[in-house]
Amino acid sequence: MKVGSVVTGRLLSMIPTLILATLIVFMLIRLIPGDPANAIAGEYATPERLAEIRSQLGLDKPLVLQYLGWLGGLFTGDLGTSFMTGQSVLGLILERLPVTITLTTMGLLVAVLIGLPTGILSASRSGGRLDRFLTTAATLGLAMPNFWLGMVLILVFSISLGWLPGPGGPLFLADPVGSIRATVLPAIALGMVGGAEICRQVRSAMVEDLSSDHVRTHKAKGIPWSRILWVHSLKNSSLPFLTIVGLQISRLLSGAVVVETVFGLSGLGTLIVTATNQREYLIVQGVVLIMALLVIFTNLVVDVLYRVIDPRIK
């Protein structure tokens, strides 16, 4: 019943959140200088031709009617069509979505594989040289731009060593194996910062837990230190870890825009950048809607896991 009420509450709160997110993007993108009609008709188009294109695209209507018309299309799964190509916006998004999901998932895996062990190791050596080294490395990792790291990885592992493919890669639906292989370096560039943040948060939570009374009791009972560290203390630190993982997914989705552009991946990141440059309003709104849904779904899963791990949470 508790989980069901949480899911119901989050689903109900999702509606105004999505409306607010799309409304903000709807207004902000129209503040960008430029006009889709100019992009379609060319630089030397006549005013009559521009007016005709705006009428065909519905851009001559008041902004309120444009937004309400797009919002009404959501109930039928119609996100509109591309101004430039005439393709379905939903079709374009679904074609690119697997690349972004793959990149975000692999980036999260990199972040956890780096951050969790180093955070535990740092907490177990609290105050020592290893702890200071890992804490310093995590601080530097947080300050490292993922686009710069991406270019370094391309230079070393793609151009110099030739171990992994460089920028570019096939669509996931066309070549899943090739798409995943081309996502390895972008995932590392995307996940390094998340790994540094997870390391810091896990260390902080476990240092506090390792100084508590129950750990001293476990030691007095003769329980091995490795079991205390990896079972008891890690379990008690699971909620902070889960919190930071949930936050990282949101950050990874936003960071994917930059990383996909650096590596030339055909995901939602490059789609929204191209759409912004071409004043493809409907594509930008559709991508933001899908990303907002992914973030909301992630938060919902985290809230449910909270209550599974600790039933005391209401």
Side-chain angles (χ1 to χ4, degrees):
M1 291 296 292
K2 184 188 297 185
V3 172
S5 62
V6 170
V7 172
T8 302
R10 290 295 181 271
L11 290 177
L12 291 176
S13 66
M14 177 177 69
I15 299 174
T17 302
L18 289 176
I19 292 176
L20 181 61
T22 55
L23 180 60
I24 292 174
V25 173
F26 178 87
M27 299 305 298
L28 287 179
I29 194 173
R30 281 160 176 77
L31 296 177
I32 300 175
D35 185 351
N38 283 323
I40 296 172
E43 184 178 355
Y44 301 104
T46 62
E48 292 77 12
R49 176 58 179 160
L50 294 176
E52 180 185 356
I53 293 175
R54 292 191 187 100
S55 177
Q56 292 174 352
L57 299 178
L59 298 177
D60 57 342
K61 298 178 182 178
L63 291 180
V64 175
L65 294 181
Q66 291 183 43
Y67 178 73
L68 291 177
W70 177 80
L71 200 62
L74 294 181
F75 295 100
T76 60
D78 180 17
L79 300 181
T81 57
S82 167
F83 296 156
M84 304 296 292
T85 65
Q87 291 178 272
S88 165
V89 171
L90 182 59
L92 286 171
I93 292 175
L94 293 179
E95 186 180 62
R96 304 289 192 97
L97 183 60
V99 175
T100 300
I101 295 295
T102 302
L103 175 59
T104 304
T105 303
M106 293 178 65
L108 181 63
L109 182 62
V110 169
V112 172
L113 290 178
I114 292 174
L116 184 59
T118 54
I120 295 173
L121 188 59
S122 181
S124 67
R125 301 289 189 273
S126 178
R129 291 182 179 179
L130 182 60
D131 178 33
R132 290 195 294 270
F133 171 76
L134 292 175
T135 302
T136 302
T139 302
L140 293 175
L142 286 172
M144 186 183 303
N146 49 25
F147 66 87
W148 176 84
L149 179 59
M151 290 186 286
V152 171
L153 292 174
I154 292 172
L155 179 63
V156 175
F157 294 100
S158 179
I159 297 177
S160 298
L161 299 177
W163 290 354
L164 290 167
L171 289 172
F172 184 86
L173 297 178
D175 184 3
V177 175
S179 178
I180 292 175
R181 191 165 179 265
T183 309
V184 173
L185 290 182
I188 295 174
L190 186 62
M192 286 292 289
V193 176
E197 181 64 26
I198 290 175
C199 174
R200 287 167 58 92
Q201 296 297 330
V202 169
R203 178 198 176 278
S204 177
M206 290 193 67
V207 164
E208 181 179 353
D209 186 73
L210 289 173
S211 62
S212 61
D213 292 336
H214 79 90
V215 171
R216 286 190 287 270
T217 302
H218 290 324
K219 288 180 180 180
K221 291 180 177 179
I223 298 177
W225 174 246
S226 59
R227 181 173 177 80
I228 294 174
L229 190 66
W230 289 93
V231 177
H232 299 286
S233 185
L234 181 59
K235 181 179 179 180
N236 292 334
S237 305
S238 58
L239 289 182
F241 170 71
L242 189 60
T243 301
I244 195 63
V245 166
L247 292 173
Q248 285 306 313
I249 294 176
S250 303
R251 295 174 183 175
L252 290 172
L253 284 170
S254 60
V257 175
V258 177
V259 173
E260 286 179 5
T261 303
V262 171
F263 284 88
L265 297 177
S266 301
L268 293 183
T270 52
L271 178 62
I272 197 171
V273 170
T274 303
T276 302
N277 292 333
Q278 296 178 344
R279 307 302 184 268
E280 288 271 16
Y281 299 155
L282 298 179
I283 293 179
V284 175
Q285 292 167 206
V287 172
V288 170
L289 174 67
I290 296 300
M291 286 191 168
L293 283 171
L294 291 174
V295 171
I296 291 172
F297 176 74
T298 299
N299 293 336
L300 175 61
V301 172
V302 170
D303 284 341
V304 171
L305 290 178
Y306 275 165
R307 287 151 181 84
V308 172
I309 294 173
D310 189 351
R312 296 173 298 176
I313 298 178
K314 296 181 179 181

